[in-house]
Amino acid sequence: MFPNYDVIVVGAGHAGCEAAHAAAKMGSRVLLCTMNMNTIAQMSCNPAMGGVAKGQIVREIDALGGMSGIISDKSMIQFRMLNRSKGPAMWSPRTQNDRMRFAEEWRLALEQTPNVDFWQEMITGLLVKDKQVIGVRTSIGLEIKGKSVVLTNGTFLNGLIHIGEKQFGGGRTGEGAARGITEQLVQLGFEAGRMKTGTPPRVDGRSLDYTKMEIQYGDENPEKFSFSDETKPLTKQHTCWITYTNKEVHQTLETGFDRSPMFNGRIQGLGPRYCPSIEDKINRFAERERHQIFVEPEGWNTVEMYINGFSTSLPEDVQYEAMRKIPGFENAKMFRPGYAIEYDFFPPTQLKLTLETQLIDNLYFAGQINGTTGYEEAASQGLIAGINASLKTQEKDPFLLKRSDAYIGVLIDDLINKGTEEPYRMFTSRAEFRLLLRQDNADLRLTQLGHSIGLADNTRLEKMLDKKNDTAKLINDLKQKKLSPEGINEGLEDLETATIKEKITIDKLIKRPQLGILDIMKLDDEIGQYLSKYDKEVIEQAEIQIKYENYLEKEQQMVEKLSNMENYKIPLNFDYLAVTALSAEGRQKLHKIKPETLGQASRISGVSPADLSILTVYLGR
């Protein structure tokens, strides 16, 4: 009934979709298994992609040849570039999306990808032989053979939904939990844990009074995620709104604390620190009189609204009563209440950098099963797992991204070496080389790599090379072309920056904090006409590289300094327990994680500088 697949992907969320698409595009025969074909790529929480650091991840996925950026562009209803007032390392693209169109676009993309087959049924177990996965078993007892398996189970593994004192099994509202896989993995020797996440109520937008809220518009000149020409920026955008809780809202919420599963101990799993529930916020930050609430449309043609900032698992009657005391919500009608969900995860220190498990060959984990939270984090892991599963079946070298290559590299390195005891979320602060890992240069960093493994196509590569060459030419010209005092001093005074006394090259003007290339274009008509020949992306790239040249050079020097440790390979069979000079904690952590390089070993929590010195001596021998 089934052929012998190269890659079987279990779960069709953001991680599963990216894994299936990547592996298939690289030539593998793929089976994507899901409990419900109608919920492929479901946006389970807020209808948005990107944000701080997350937007950089989406652009990196796109640069490598993944689909999240294209799908986001095709379904977006609003675009905003966050943190524009800060430096370019902090600029983060974010889209508000049409929930139904997002899922539809992903399904269409997968159905149009050769080599992808689908199977709708719960997967209840793995077929394992001699510590190697050889397929999966379904709930009706079918056995499907595969050379590799990627588990992307999301919140479905023994999922338990909480609303006040009520609790029931489920991986998402209206959908059942997945059972069997956790128990088998534990029997095979894996360590498992529990985490929780939550979601807010959904309301009828027709019942809200928007005059009592602040309007949040999209960018005046919206951009997009994908570097490809397959998508275009929006020409019209939907608005969002902002309102606030108040003391009365907080007091009403507190009346339900005695029935809260979070406060009475029924929820055992740890929730996301940086996306707490509303009851957690008013409990932890009791001194604050209000909290921000974002009212986000679920799509172009629906009245359903997502109440971002009001995630809760309180009883539904308390949710409803408190919500109606928020300005603009006095007559709100609820579509469904918010809830918390607990689910199984597997500490990611049990994985290799390829996201293959250490215990079972050809078995890969990606997404929330690894303890992460967020669509973007999941999608990036799915992409890397799908790539490596495909490469391994083709007997090719693995694909690894270093911390200096991409935010995706930072994410995976953090998970494997540090693990996580709470849902892991990406931030710019987690990346030590964030000036190099900007959203604007993701294509320059990664498209060549994506092309080399057969994921990014020739058109993408050519577009990236054109951008790279045009940027280099423009920077060179700006370092050669000079402007004279009589031509620009009056304009410099208008821009409130110092005048010049002799001719100056344009790049030196661009280095001034007050000036950018667009200002230079207005200072001199001839230069303006010359610069107008270049694409906006090239002009922006040239400006960033010139303005931050010294900082970029210093960061690059740091990368090169650390690369020696990254290139120092450690044999996979190295016996750390035999090195008695190592500290007890160092021996234990190194034996458990089995780092592949000295650089990776240096980032493991509990491995001291002294341990590294001792390890270096032993490796030298």
Side-chain angles (χ1 to χ4, degrees):
M1 182 175 175
F2 296 101
N4 192 345
Y5 289 98
D6 297 311
V7 181
I8 298 174
V9 180
V10 180
H14 298 261
C17 288
E18 285 288 3
H21 172 265
K25 195 169 180 183
M26 291 168 63
S28 294
R29 191 163 192 175
V30 177
L31 178 67
L32 179 59
C33 303
T34 174
M35 293 198 292
N36 188 347
M37 290 282 289
N38 295 320
T39 55
I40 288 174
Q42 177 89 310
M43 294 183 115
S44 307
C45 205
N46 61 324
M49 288 291 284
V52 177
K54 293 166 173 278
Q56 283 86 328
I57 289 176
V58 177
R59 295 213 103 190
E60 289 175 353
I61 292 169
D62 182 76
L64 286 166
M67 288 298 293
S68 286
I70 288 173
I71 302 296
S72 299
D73 288 348
K74 287 183 174 181
S75 61
M76 68 176 163
I77 62 177
Q78 188 191 84
F79 181 93
R80 294 178 68 221
M81 184 68 77
L82 307 182
N83 290 334
R84 270 287 192 188
S85 61
K86 300 179 181 178
M90 302 296 289
W91 297 351
S92 303
R94 183 183 190 271
T95 58
Q96 201 68 41
N97 294 83
D98 186 311
R99 185 187 301 278
M100 290 182 283
R101 286 191 61 193
F102 184 93
E104 180 187 30
E105 290 291 350
W106 246 125
R107 177 162 174 172
L108 290 173
L110 289 168
E111 288 182 356
Q112 291 161 15
T113 302
N115 298 332
V116 175
D117 290 345
F118 300 87
W119 186 252
Q120 177 176 295
E121 194 185 347
M122 184 192 298
I123 302 301
T124 55
L126 303 170
L127 304 178
V128 178
K129 183 179 181 182
D130 300 327
K131 292 195 172 183
Q132 180 171 317
V133 72
I134 58 170
V136 297
R137 182 179 293 105
T138 76
S139 59
I140 61 171
L142 297 175
E143 293 190 349
I144 308 173
K145 298 294 180 66
K147 296 177 183 176
S148 63
V149 174
V150 182
L151 293 184
T152 69
N153 303 82
T155 60
F156 282 80
L157 291 179
N158 293 323
L160 185 63
I161 291 173
H162 297 265
I163 304 175
E165 295 174 302
K166 306 179 180 102
Q167 56 182 226
F168 46 92
R172 210 161 31 207
T173 184
E175 297 180 64
R179 309 197 183 281
I181 291 178
T182 295
E183 293 74 12
Q184 182 184 9
L185 289 174
V186 169
Q187 285 180 354
L188 288 167
F190 285 90
E191 177 191 347
R194 293 286 275 177
M195 281 189 177
K196 80 121 183 155
T197 189
T199 192
R202 309 301 201 269
V203 303
D204 188 334
R206 297 168 299 184
S207 64
L208 302 181
D209 183 354
Y210 300 102
T211 63
K212 295 182 179 179
M213 306 180 197
E214 302 168 17
I215 295 180
Q216 186 179 53
Y217 295 105
D219 285 355
E220 187 175 345
N221 297 303
E223 300 175 40
K224 61 192 186 83
F225 276 120
S226 183
F227 293 99
S228 75
D229 294 325
E230 190 173 334
T231 61
K232 302 295 179 189
L234 287 172
T235 53
K236 66 170 185 173
Q237 299 188 71
H238 214 311
T239 53
C240 297
W241 294 267
I242 299 173
T243 183
Y244 299 87
T245 62
N246 51 49
K247 282 185 177 180
E248 201 176 357
V249 175
H250 298 178
Q251 287 167 357
T252 304
L253 289 168
E254 287 170 355
T255 65
F257 278 11
D258 61 328
R259 294 184 285 156
S260 166
M262 192 176 75
F263 294 135
N264 61 25
R266 276 199 304 279
I267 290 181
Q268 301 297 318
L270 280 170
R273 178 191 301 263
Y274 303 102
C275 189
S277 64
I278 187 65
E279 57 263 37
D280 196 16
K281 280 191 274 192
I282 65 173
N283 185 54
R284 280 165 50 189
F285 309 108
E287 73 284 358
R288 293 186 60 176
E289 294 186 356
R290 68 176 193 171
H291 293 280
Q292 205 168 39
I293 300 293
F294 295 91
V295 182
E296 301 175 344
E298 296 264 1
W300 286 115
N301 302 310
T302 179
V303 298
E304 189 172 357
M305 293 286 171
Y306 182 88
I307 314 306
N308 196 341
F310 204 77
S311 174
T312 180
S313 58
L314 287 168
E316 63 276 13
D317 58 326
V318 177
Q319 293 184 35
Y320 182 66
E321 189 180 345
M323 186 177 66
R324 286 172 69 107
K325 291 174 180 175
I326 299 172
F329 280 72
E330 292 83 358
N331 299 305
K333 295 178 181 177
M334 189 186 285
F335 278 174
R336 62 178 170 88
Y339 61 87
I341 180 167
E342 275 189 289
Y343 55 93
D344 294 336
F345 84 105
F346 292 84
T349 50
Q350 302 170 97
L351 302 177
K352 302 173 185 176
L353 288 169
T354 57
L355 298 182
E356 184 183 19
T357 68
Q358 294 179 13
L359 285 174
I360 304 295
D361 285 347
N362 301 335
L363 176 62
Y364 297 78
F365 291 173
Q368 284 173 288
I369 192 173
N370 290 335
T372 60
T373 181
Y375 305 147
E376 304 82 4
E377 290 88 343
S380 66
Q381 292 171 72
L383 180 74
I384 299 302
I387 288 171
N388 280 308
S390 180
L391 288 172
K392 191 166 186 186
T393 61
Q394 297 170 31
E395 299 182 351
K396 294 181 179 178
D397 291 338
F399 181 79
L400 303 175
L401 291 174
K402 299 190 292 293
R403 295 182 74 90
S404 55
D405 291 331
Y407 271 89
I408 299 173
V410 174
L411 167 71
I412 293 173
D413 190 80
D414 276 354
L415 291 174
I416 273 66
N417 295 317
K418 299 175 183 176
T420 185
E421 294 180 353
E422 60 188 46
Y424 178 101
R425 179 180 179 181
M426 179 53 72
F427 291 101
T428 51
S429 58
R430 296 192 191 272
E432 58 270 50
F433 306 118
R434 57 183 173 272
L435 190 54
L436 293 175
L437 308 183
R438 306 183 311 276
Q439 56 84 31
D440 59 88
N441 70 353
D443 54 340
L444 301 177
R445 290 185 278 120
L446 300 173
T447 296
Q448 188 105 43
L449 290 173
H451 183 266
S452 69
I453 57 173
L455 192 54
D457 59 25
N458 291 334
T459 305
R460 278 184 175 274
L461 181 65
E462 289 163 11
K463 194 170 191 294
M464 183 278 289
L465 291 174
D466 286 344
K467 175 181 172 180
K468 184 178 181 180
N469 294 333
D470 287 350
T471 300
K473 182 179 185 308
L474 178 54
I475 290 173
N476 183 63
D477 288 349
L478 294 173
K479 289 184 174 183
Q480 303 296 324
K481 292 180 182 291
K482 293 185 176 182
L483 295 175
S484 58
E486 58 271 16
I488 66 168
N489 271 348
E490 186 178 339
L492 291 175
E493 286 178 354
D494 292 340
L495 291 167
E496 299 181 353
T497 185
T499 56
I500 58 174
K501 295 179 180 177
E502 56 187 28
K503 283 188 175 183
I504 188 172
T505 55
I506 297 174
D507 69 302
K508 289 186 170 63
L509 285 173
I510 292 170
K511 286 181 184 288
R512 295 185 179 186
Q514 307 92 338
L515 298 179
I517 290 183
L518 293 179
D519 298 310
I520 307 296
M521 291 173 72
K522 295 171 185 173
L523 289 175
D524 186 284
D525 289 340
E526 186 180 337
I527 294 298
Q529 288 178 2
Y530 165 75
L531 290 171
S532 65
K533 296 186 299 183
Y534 286 95
D535 290 341
K536 178 176 174 287
E537 278 188 13
V538 172
I539 290 174
E540 181 181 79
Q541 193 62 222
E543 181 175 322
I544 291 170
Q545 290 189 30
I546 290 171
K547 195 176 281 290
Y548 298 93
E549 184 177 20
N550 295 336
Y551 298 100
L552 289 165
E553 284 177 1
K554 286 179 183 176
E555 208 158 275
Q556 189 59 50
Q557 288 168 5
M558 286 174 60
V559 170
E560 289 164 6
K561 187 176 178 181
L562 292 170
S563 67
N564 290 333
M565 291 180 73
E566 296 298 336
N567 294 330
Y568 205 133
K569 302 288 184 185
I570 301 175
L572 288 175
N573 60 351
F574 188 87
D575 187 0
Y576 298 99
L577 298 179
V579 185
T580 54
L582 292 169
S583 68
E585 185 181 5
R587 276 201 309 277
Q588 181 186 1
K589 295 286 181 67
L590 289 164
H591 176 72
K592 180 180 180 181
I593 294 171
K594 296 181 176 61
E596 297 175 27
T597 67
L598 203 57
Q600 185 187 349
S602 72
R603 294 187 295 277
I604 297 173
S605 176
V607 175
S608 68
D611 289 331
L612 281 177
S613 298
I614 292 163
L615 192 56
T616 304
V617 171
Y618 271 81
L619 288 169
R621 289 177 184 172

